[in-house]
Amino acid sequence: MFKRDVNQIKDLILKNLRAQGLETPLLQKRLIDSWPEVAGQMVNSYTDGMFIKNQTLFVHITSPALRSDLMMMRSELVRKLNAHVGSQVIADIRFH
């Protein structure tokens, strides 16, 4: 008998994504898509747009009072968003 080099399909896909430089944009997209679930539907209804630059998630919140409350929850939101994606994608959140 001969030994086969067996890999999981997940590992092969991730290796291919890394080789093509697509892993980070995919994780960033997944993180942004997870915002309504992690932050909640009420917060999402006041969210006007978001983007990631230099490991910082920039979120435009239309309510000044909610923006103030979210600023106090920044570190918890960063932890929850990264945990939801399963990787360290962002290090900070800025609300404007």
Side-chain angles (χ1 to χ4, degrees):
M1 280 213 109
F2 59 92
K3 184 177 178 181
R4 294 182 187 207
D5 186 21
V6 179
N7 294 321
Q8 289 186 353
I9 188 81
K10 174 184 142 184
D11 295 334
L12 293 173
I13 291 172
L14 286 175
K15 183 178 177 182
N16 191 10
L17 286 172
R18 268 188 219 113
Q20 294 181 16
L22 298 174
E23 181 183 30
T24 301
L26 178 64
L27 289 173
Q28 290 175 346
K29 171 80 168 108
R30 287 179 54 203
L31 186 131
I32 288 173
D33 289 346
S34 70
W35 175 258
E37 185 177 336
V38 173
Q41 289 300 328
M42 192 277 300
V43 173
N44 190 51
S45 67
Y46 289 99
T47 302
D48 194 29
M50 63 182 80
F51 64 93
I52 298 175
K53 183 177 181 182
N54 296 332
Q55 289 191 324
T56 301
L57 176 64
F58 292 87
V59 183
H60 184 260
I61 301 291
T62 57
S63 168
L66 180 60
R67 187 179 320 127
S68 176
D69 288 345
L70 291 173
M71 285 295 290
M72 290 184 272
M73 299 173 49
R74 256 182 14 202
S75 60
E76 183 181 345
L77 285 169
V78 167
R79 184 184 54 76
K80 285 182 177 182
L81 286 165
N82 284 328
H84 193 271
V85 174
S87 182
Q88 179 71 29
V89 179
I90 60 170
D92 195 16
I93 299 178
R94 301 270 171 103
F95 299 101
H96 58 95

